[in-house]
Amino acid sequence: MNELFTIELFWSSVRLSTPLLLAALGGLFSERSGVVNIALEGLMLAGAFTAAAVTWAAGNPWIGLAAAALAGMLVALIHAVACIRYKADQVVTGTAINILMLGIPGFLSGALFLSSGSTPQIAREHLIPWTPIVLAFLAVPITQYVLFHTPFGLRLRAVGENPEAADAAGINVATMRYAGVLLSGILSGVGGAYLSIGQASLFTRNMTSGRGFIALAALIFGKWRPVQTMAACLFFGLTEALTIQMQGVVKLPSGDDIPVQFIQIVPYVLTIVVLAGFIGHSRAPRALGVPYRKEN
Amino acid sequence: MKLRDVLFPAVAVLAAFLVGALFVAAIGDSPIETYRLLIGSAFSWPDGVGYTLFLATPLIFTGLAVAVAFRAGLLNIGAEGQLYMSAFAAAWCGITFARLPAVLLVPACMACAIGAGAMWAAIPGLLKARFGSHEVINTIMMNFIAVALCGYFTQYHYRTPGDPIMETAAVGANASLPRVGDFIPGVPSRIPLNFAFVLAMVACGLVYVLLWRTKWGYELRATGANPFAAQYGGISTGRQIVIAMAISGGLAGGVGINEVLGYRHRYYDGFSDNYGFTGIAVALLGRNHPVGVFFAAILFAVLSRGGIAVDAFTVHVTRDIVQILQATIILFVAAEAVFRGPFRKLGLLK
Amino acid sequence: MIELREISKRFGAVTANDRVSIRVDSGTIHALVGENGAGKSTAMRIAYGFYTADSGEILVDGRPRRIASPADAIALGIGMVHQHFMLVETMTVAENIVLGAEPGSAFAFDSAAASARIRALSDEFRLAVDPDAFVEELSVGQQQRVELLKALYRDARLLILDEPTAVLTPQEVDELFASLRGMRAQGKTIVIITHKLGEVLALSDDVTVMRDGKVVGRMKTRDTSAAALARRMVGREVLLRVEKTPAAPGDVALEVRGLSVSGRHNALAVNDVSFVVRAGEIVGIAGVEGNGQTELIEALAGLVPADRISGVVALRGTNITSLDARTRRELGVAHVPEDRQKRGLLLDFGLDENAILGVHYRPPITAHVGHVLLDGREIERRAADIIARFDVRPPDPHVPARSLSGGNQQKLVIGREFELHPTLLLVSQPTRGVDIGAIEFIHRKLVALRDAGCAVLLISAELEEVMSLADRLLVIHGGRIAGEVNPTKTTAEEIGLLMTRGAA
């Protein structure tokens, strides 16, 4: 067993949890303002594709990173307008964004690169394997501070808990919610960018493979609080690292490999358990998911 | 059925096609040509029609599943997981009881498929009824768990030794539904359109009868329409939630029947082309009514079939245009308020 | 200081304010009184910018002003304490108070400065609170103080309080009044919306009376009396006296013994209530809304979970306290709920599907094998029958219930419940939001049902209605039965005072 829990496993977990953490923090801003965001998956894809394409075209990963953040923000804007301005169902719109982002990267890469969904390979010197990790873990204390020690954070939380109260206090509920959703786009876009120009060196079709949903699970597991969400992301990153590491290394008494699937499902099962209230009291922002309508 | 029930979806589809046209034009291809390929390829005989209706079959089932849940006020995002469980259950039955004669084996496999889907959906239903935990997250989590579990059982117990592909062994020869080629002369047997399509149509009819002609359907719809009034009327809303989810999952189970008994005759990891999520779009476009679901499923199947032709025969456009169209349709239907203003001005609304 | 001129506001078909003009002088405490639905809250919410008026204008300090949102009102020095507190429960007192006007910069919220200023205001106006406590831990009285401080923190010169004493204990009311008098002494102007006449007389300088969306009187408090105010509040233009013969009550149909129902915050909404209703009589319960009527009737109908009830409810001798709503209906209990849109109707369903709610699962509505299928013809017949006998318009069973007017919706609900030929009818606020013609119709139907031998429990906040319909009349206040009066001999004033008697 000793060869399992090595420093290698630790760094592996950190690397794997980075995109989750960025997307989860993004989701935190959105959901704290009261807007459900199951489109983290699609937002990450937007960021991943844009980062890879722009980095390759410009030869500069920093421009790619910025473009990814911008792309995430623009896609999130669609979600925001549909939900906030037109009061569409937030889950349905989120699903639409996810489907949209299954199509657009492929569509554009077919048009721009004549490929079947991937972007061209990026040269090694143009990758940024460490910066996003630093950004992600820095974002945790920053989020904590912004949310709990600035007026913006106070208003954001108020809008998610009791929008009528915020409205009565003279706050523009719609503006705050737009801010929350757009921030989720920016952060998720950066999270996706790490996948394509940090971990890998190109964008492949559907490369997020569900990470956006795991990020959402981590957010719920972390009870919508920054530090606990980080812990959840690290834990989920650990389970992913274990599934990779354990294959061929650790054996059952019978001599067979431990089925990797049982470790894979741990985050999902735990999220269900937490959501049902079995581990502590899970309290979402009270106005989460409800479009705000002034009585007029 | 009011005018707006047909009008708004139609407008949403048209608007989506307009947006799609912009995308196509932006990358230098002709929208007209693209759409001609997209829609035209679905109508050739026998391949176009055959494949289109075959592709529509799972969408009808998942569309019905989402629609029934929606009628009870629930968002079933878990059709994907439910259909995976159903497919594996059907394969398991077909392998384990391969010796049985077809007249027993086929219904047994169908029952397993429906039962597995129902059970998988009932779990989040119970969690909501008992603990109030929201079905959206739970069903999404169940999707992942389902794929992992089916993968485990396939990999370690039901795969043919030496087979590198993640798929189970073949089911018994008796676990098979007839294909369209068995009924219509001149149609080659390679076309996978099978009896499950008939079952899908039957399911549409049954869902209609259930929802609007039985007391069970009344209670389900009442719970979704106004749980307070439903409770006042003596309906147990908690029980309705679980039942609705179970029915929903059972309907998603039809996909397993189509896949295993009608097409691949085994469980194949990754066989679903996002049927569960597309089902949400189908239900939404079909306004949660069996007739609407049927036609919306056909529309999406036409697009899906057309995507292949578009991929092959245009210079720049790939089949991804289909997903762009699907997503845009959903957005326009969900945000239908965006049309209310102009429609009111045109005097088409009060 | 502030004046509303000819303010009108409609919500769909309902006119909440009809050319309302209210003038509040600076440095006074002004009471705005009226029954529920009179339009008082609407008028003040317009002044605070929550709603915008359809017509009319608002003048502040003599100049016409546009108040399109609460931010505008706050900028003009107007603050409001709402009937249902607008507080974020998971945040601290300080955070709630400064929300929207946070001290410090955009990058750093200066909580020390916030606490300091709050403590200063606390002392100045004698509103003791702990700035660092979480709102969800506070008592109702303390929460209200937070609401007041919210307005004062923004330097409000005009404070509007909407039914402030509805949820306070007598001691808390005294403390509140002391604070309000102190504010007046400091030059603040106060508007208090209330229906408690005792408080009006004790506290205010001027009073404006509203009824049915209109202003019906404005006077100096010292020039009027509780009786005069009650008369203006509850009188109706049209006198509705129902023609009825004296009741001939038979056996006891409903017996309630020591019934208590717990409501929010574990407080008792219904407190040790006992009474009987006999077959062939109408027992009325008069009272201002919020005194336990809702919980009482829902408990009798079987809509309250058993763990919140103690006591006994018996129907014709059978103990039904632990039976669910469906079983009670089968035993002959019918229920016309106070909120027909929330409780009584499936608005998007047709009239036919609404007509079977509650009996949809048994014959004759269900037919054929196993009684699963709905008998469409039977449903249509039943719906048409109810529509015809209860004059529901439009008489089309397929029209969605949402499209009916309030009166027709109510007639449908009543018809459906009458169709059960019940032993006991529970009916709450039967004519709320209903036009005059339908009111008379409904009243006649209720009397006819009584004459046919049904026991009727009628809960209403409309004094005229309950006085003219009831054979026996109870008054409810604070979850208890405050008293029983003889409907033929009592007066509106006597009941009004029982209904609205404030604390102390």
Side-chain angles (χ1 to χ4, degrees):
Chain A
M1 257 321 209
N2 292 341
E3 62 248 26
L4 193 55
F5 289 102
T6 58
I7 201 80
E8 179 55 43
L9 186 71
F10 171 73
W11 281 116
S12 197
S13 308
V14 168
R15 282 197 300 272
L16 289 167
S17 65
T18 297
L20 300 179
L21 183 54
L22 284 163
L25 287 175
L28 189 139
F29 277 106
S30 174
E31 301 226 331
R32 277 280 189 170
S33 81
V35 179
V36 172
N37 194 342
I38 66 167
L40 297 176
E41 178 83 356
L43 294 170
M44 285 177 84
L45 278 169
F49 175 78
T50 310
V54 171
T55 302
W56 179 83
N60 183 332
W62 306 110
I63 301 182
L65 190 65
L70 184 65
M73 193 183 86
L74 288 174
V75 175
L77 185 62
I78 303 175
H79 183 55
V81 169
C83 298
I84 301 171
R85 173 105 169 71
Y86 295 110
K87 322 274 187 246
D89 184 285
Q90 295 166 7
V91 173
V92 170
T93 339
T95 308
I97 303 274
N98 287 337
I99 297 180
L100 188 69
M101 284 302 134
L102 288 175
I104 289 194
F107 183 82
L108 288 176
S109 67
L112 298 171
F113 308 117
L114 289 174
S115 81
S116 66
S118 318
T119 58
Q121 189 102 9
I122 300 168
R124 196 140 239 257
E125 57 268 20
H126 290 154
L127 298 177
I128 43 171
W130 289 109
T131 312
I133 302 179
V134 171
L135 283 177
F137 285 92
L138 262 183
V140 176
I142 295 178
T143 303
Q144 175 82 13
Y145 180 78
V146 166
L147 209 54
F148 293 104
H149 294 100
T150 63
F152 171 79
L154 186 69
R155 297 182 187 198
L156 192 84
R157 286 185 292 132
V159 160
E161 292 283 341
N162 190 341
E164 285 90 2
D167 195 9
I171 294 170
N172 188 324
V173 173
T175 307
M176 295 309 300
R177 288 186 165 179
Y178 271 106
V181 177
L182 292 181
L183 272 170
S184 77
I186 294 173
L187 283 164
S188 304
V190 172
Y194 173 67
L195 287 175
S196 64
I197 62 174
Q199 265 184 353
S201 57
L202 77 171
F203 171 86
T204 53
R205 195 177 271 274
N206 202 16
M207 81 183 301
T208 50
S209 27
R211 281 188 183 77
F213 292 112
I214 302 188
L216 188 62
L219 176 64
I220 294 168
F221 197 67
K223 312 220 175 107
W224 292 271
R225 302 191 71 95
V227 176
Q228 277 150 300
T229 302
M230 177 185 77
C233 289
L234 279 169
F235 179 64
F236 290 178
L238 176 65
T239 58
E240 192 178 347
L242 275 175
T243 64
I244 300 172
Q245 206 93 309
M246 272 173 80
Q247 275 168 329
V249 176
V250 183
K251 310 266 184 204
L252 287 172
S254 63
D256 296 322
D257 290 337
I258 295 184
V260 69
Q261 289 91 350
F262 286 118
I263 306 170
Q264 271 176 342
I265 65 172
V266 166
Y268 308 119
V269 173
L270 279 176
T271 305
I272 294 180
V273 167
V274 166
L275 203 55
F278 286 125
I279 302 181
H281 197 49
S282 181
R283 225 183 128 286
R286 184 173 301 166
L288 183 60
V290 183
Y292 182 58
R293 284 179 174 82
K294 291 171 93 78
E295 268 135 319
N296 242 342
Chain B
M1 195 154 284
K2 298 187 286 278
L3 178 66
R4 64 181 289 185
D5 284 329
V6 181
L7 195 61
F8 275 155
V11 171
V13 171
L14 279 169
F17 270 86
L18 268 168
V19 170
L22 288 172
F23 268 92
V24 171
I27 60 167
D29 266 340
S30 152
I32 314 257
E33 190 55 32
T34 308
Y35 284 149
R36 194 182 62 80
L37 278 168
L38 197 61
I39 301 180
S41 78
F43 293 104
S44 71
W45 178 264
D47 283 69
V49 174
Y51 274 99
T52 300
L53 293 181
F54 170 70
L55 290 173
T57 309
L59 296 180
I60 296 173
F61 282 121
T62 54
L64 286 174
V66 174
V68 167
F70 213 85
R71 287 277 175 182
L74 300 163
L75 283 159
N76 183 6
I77 318 290
E80 195 75 14
Q82 289 142 29
L83 64 89
Y84 268 105
M85 294 301 280
S86 78
F88 188 83
W92 169 84
C93 178
I95 294 173
T96 311
F97 302 112
R99 300 277 186 78
L100 290 177
V103 70
L104 285 178
L105 187 56
V106 169
C109 290
M110 290 208 257
C112 283
I114 296 174
M119 184 201 66
W120 202 246
I123 295 174
L126 270 164
L127 288 170
K128 170 140 194 179
R130 181 81 178 72
F131 301 108
S133 56
H134 205 283
E135 71 274 13
V136 169
I137 303 294
N138 280 332
T139 49
I140 293 177
M141 295 296 111
M142 296 291 276
N143 284 344
F144 289 110
I145 298 175
V147 175
L149 278 181
C150 292
Y152 162 71
F153 281 107
T154 303
Q155 184 175 350
Y156 289 91
H157 298 284
Y158 287 95
R159 190 156 51 166
T160 312
D163 186 348
I165 305 175
M166 183 74 104
E167 60 182 3
T168 63
V171 298
N174 286 334
S176 176
L177 288 172
R179 292 190 175 185
V180 64
D182 300 336
F183 290 113
I184 302 181
V187 175
S189 61
R190 63 183 158 81
I191 297 190
L193 174 63
N194 63 80
F195 191 67
F197 178 71
V198 174
L199 291 176
M201 290 197 288
V202 169
C204 284
L206 285 176
V207 166
Y208 174 77
V209 169
L210 172 76
L211 287 181
W212 281 281
R213 291 270 182 268
T214 66
K215 62 180 179 183
W216 298 324
Y218 178 87
E219 297 198 340
L220 193 150
R221 286 184 298 121
T223 305
N226 183 349
F228 298 108
Q231 188 200 13
Y232 156 88
I235 298 169
S236 163
T237 49
R239 199 160 68 200
Q240 289 305 312
I241 288 174
V242 179
I243 293 175
M245 285 302 286
I247 295 176
S248 180
L251 284 164
V255 178
I257 296 176
N258 181 51
E259 169 71 16
V260 174
L261 297 182
Y263 181 45
R264 281 206 177 89
H265 299 104
R266 66 184 74 228
Y267 169 85
Y268 177 84
D269 185 66
F271 75 86
S272 166
D273 185 16
N274 258 317
Y275 297 140
F277 288 101
T278 314
I280 300 174
V282 168
L284 206 63
L285 189 61
R287 288 183 95 80
N288 299 309
H289 190 285
V291 174
V293 163
F294 181 78
F295 287 112
I298 306 254
L299 171 68
F300 278 92
V302 166
L303 291 179
S304 192
R305 169 87 186 146
I308 305 172
V310 165
D311 220 27
F313 294 116
T314 60
V315 180
H316 298 286
V317 184
T318 56
R319 72 173 70 180
D320 304 292
I321 187 73
V322 173
Q323 263 128 358
I324 297 179
L325 284 171
Q326 278 180 358
T328 318
I329 290 176
I330 301 178
L331 281 170
F332 279 132
V333 174
E336 66 171 38
V338 90
F339 296 122
R340 279 212 197 110
F343 269 97
R344 200 168 278 141
K345 291 198 186 86
L346 288 171
L348 284 164
L349 271 188
K350 254 189 284 133
Chain C
M1 193 237 134
I2 187 169
E3 184 181 344
L4 273 65
R5 254 190 222 163
E6 301 281 310
I7 293 287
S8 292
K9 178 73 183 166
R10 292 170 56 115
F11 292 108
V14 177
T15 305
N17 283 159
D18 188 0
R19 293 209 306 274
V20 163
S21 294
I22 302 174
R23 193 187 85 239
V24 180
D25 297 327
S26 296
T28 61
I29 298 181
H30 193 113
L32 183 56
V33 303
E35 288 185 300
N36 279 101
K40 328 180 280 294
S41 287
T42 306
M44 287 299 109
R45 288 179 143 221
I46 291 174
Y48 189 63
F50 255 135
Y51 307 148
T52 41
D54 297 329
S55 63
E57 57 177 356
I58 304 175
L59 295 92
V60 179
D61 295 326
R63 294 170 49 201
R65 293 287 192 174
R66 197 173 149 270
I67 305 181
S69 75
D72 293 338
I74 294 172
L76 288 168
I78 303 174
M80 186 160 174
V81 175
H82 308 266
Q83 191 172 0
H84 304 291
F85 298 149
M86 302 256 183
L87 295 172
V88 183
E89 301 214 333
T90 50
M91 291 189 189
T92 65
V93 166
E95 289 173 332
N96 269 282
I97 292 176
V98 305
L99 184 66
E102 302 86 354
S105 69
F107 294 105
F109 169 53
D110 192 349
S111 62
S115 293
R117 176 124 195 272
I118 292 170
R119 280 184 223 271
L121 283 170
S122 252
D123 294 333
E124 189 182 344
F125 294 103
R126 287 184 293 176
L127 297 164
V129 287
D130 173 11
D132 299 315
F134 285 95
V135 167
E136 58 193 349
E137 297 162 359
L138 298 181
S139 72
V140 173
Q142 289 169 317
Q143 286 182 351
Q144 192 180 62
R145 269 180 250 148
V146 175
E147 284 273 344
L148 280 164
L149 282 168
K150 265 168 59 174
L152 293 169
Y153 188 86
R154 309 287 207 113
D155 294 320
R157 294 176 296 130
L158 167 67
L159 277 144
I160 305 171
L161 288 86
D162 193 348
E163 305 279 5
T165 62
V167 291
L168 297 182
T169 66
Q171 294 84 343
E172 288 170 332
V173 172
D174 288 336
E175 287 164 8
L176 173 66
F177 282 11
S179 302
L180 291 177
R181 289 189 189 102
M183 288 177 213
R184 177 180 55 186
Q186 298 250 0
K188 307 264 185 216
T189 309
I190 296 169
V191 172
I192 172 166
I193 302 174
T194 180
H195 57 266
K196 297 189 180 176
L197 302 179
E199 295 172 0
V200 172
L201 294 172
L203 190 63
S204 64
D205 304 308
D206 304 308
V207 55
T208 299
V209 185
M210 285 185 71
R211 194 174 71 216
D212 291 330
K214 301 181 178 54
V215 171
V216 294
R218 183 195 193 280
M219 58 278 280
K220 289 235 160 277
T221 309
R222 60 170 181 263
D223 294 337
T224 186
S225 68
L229 286 173
R231 208 180 315 133
R232 277 206 201 239
M233 262 172 67
V234 305
R236 262 213 186 105
E237 251 80 321
V238 178
L239 250 187
L240 296 173
R241 282 275 159 196
V242 183
E243 294 299 315
K244 63 178 177 137
T245 56
D251 296 327
V252 169
L254 172 71
E255 186 185 351
V256 178
R257 276 202 313 269
L259 180 69
S260 294
V261 180
S262 62
R264 271 201 300 170
H265 305 300
N266 281 325
L268 284 179
V270 176
N271 196 342
D272 196 28
V273 163
S274 303
F275 61 90
V276 299
V277 182
R278 297 189 143 77
E281 74 172 350
I282 298 178
V283 172
I285 299 187
V288 175
E289 270 197 291
N291 279 285
Q293 298 93 315
T294 310
E295 292 82 354
L296 173 63
I297 213 164
E298 296 226 323
L300 294 176
L303 296 171
V304 175
D307 56 357
R308 281 171 41 199
I309 299 183
S310 67
V312 176
V313 178
L315 179 72
R316 285 220 276 218
T318 315
N319 187 334
I320 64 169
T321 321
S322 54
L323 297 180
D324 65 13
R326 177 172 290 197
T327 318
R328 293 191 201 202
R329 204 177 247 106
E330 285 172 357
L331 289 173
V333 179
H335 176 200
V336 175
E338 73 180 30
D339 188 342
R340 56 179 167 268
Q341 297 209 339
K342 177 180 169 188
R343 269 285 188 207
L345 290 170
L346 301 159
L347 289 173
D348 293 315
F349 285 21
L351 303 190
D352 50 358
E353 291 199 306
N354 273 288
I356 61 170
L357 180 63
V359 294
H360 56 274
Y361 62 96
R362 52 184 157 110
I365 303 299
T366 55
H368 308 308
V369 181
H371 287 290
V372 168
L373 288 175
L374 298 172
D375 186 339
R377 269 181 316 185
E378 176 63 29
I379 295 174
E380 185 133 356
R381 191 202 61 76
R382 190 189 190 94
D385 192 46
I386 293 174
I387 289 171
R389 287 198 289 118
F390 286 82
D391 192 32
V392 177
R393 301 183 210 160
D396 177 0
H398 303 294
V399 163
R402 190 184 288 279
S403 65
L404 262 51
S405 72
N408 284 301
Q409 284 178 347
Q410 191 72 332
K411 283 189 278 183
L412 177 67
V413 174
I414 286 176
R416 174 184 72 209
E417 296 304 300
F418 276 39
E419 188 67 17
L420 296 172
H421 301 297
T423 309
L424 168 68
L425 175 71
L426 305 166
V427 52
S428 184
Q429 318 294 353
T431 56
R432 169 174 298 158
V434 172
D435 53 284
I436 293 287
I439 293 177
E440 290 185 315
F441 184 90
I442 291 172
H443 285 178
R444 277 188 277 118
K445 285 289 189 185
L446 283 170
V447 174
L449 189 70
R450 173 202 82 165
D451 290 339
C454 181
V456 178
L457 180 66
L458 167 69
I459 292 187
S460 175
E462 296 286 347
L463 271 193
E464 280 279 334
E465 172 172 74
V466 79
M467 276 171 67
S468 63
L469 279 176
D471 303 311
R472 284 171 46 220
L473 183 52
L474 307 171
V475 182
I476 193 170
H477 176 82
R480 291 181 185 277
I481 302 292
E484 178 165 351
V485 297
N486 184 332
T488 51
K489 299 214 178 70
T490 188
T491 60
E493 286 86 343
E494 181 191 354
I495 303 179
L497 289 174
L498 264 178
M499 276 166 75
T500 63
R501 186 185 357 240

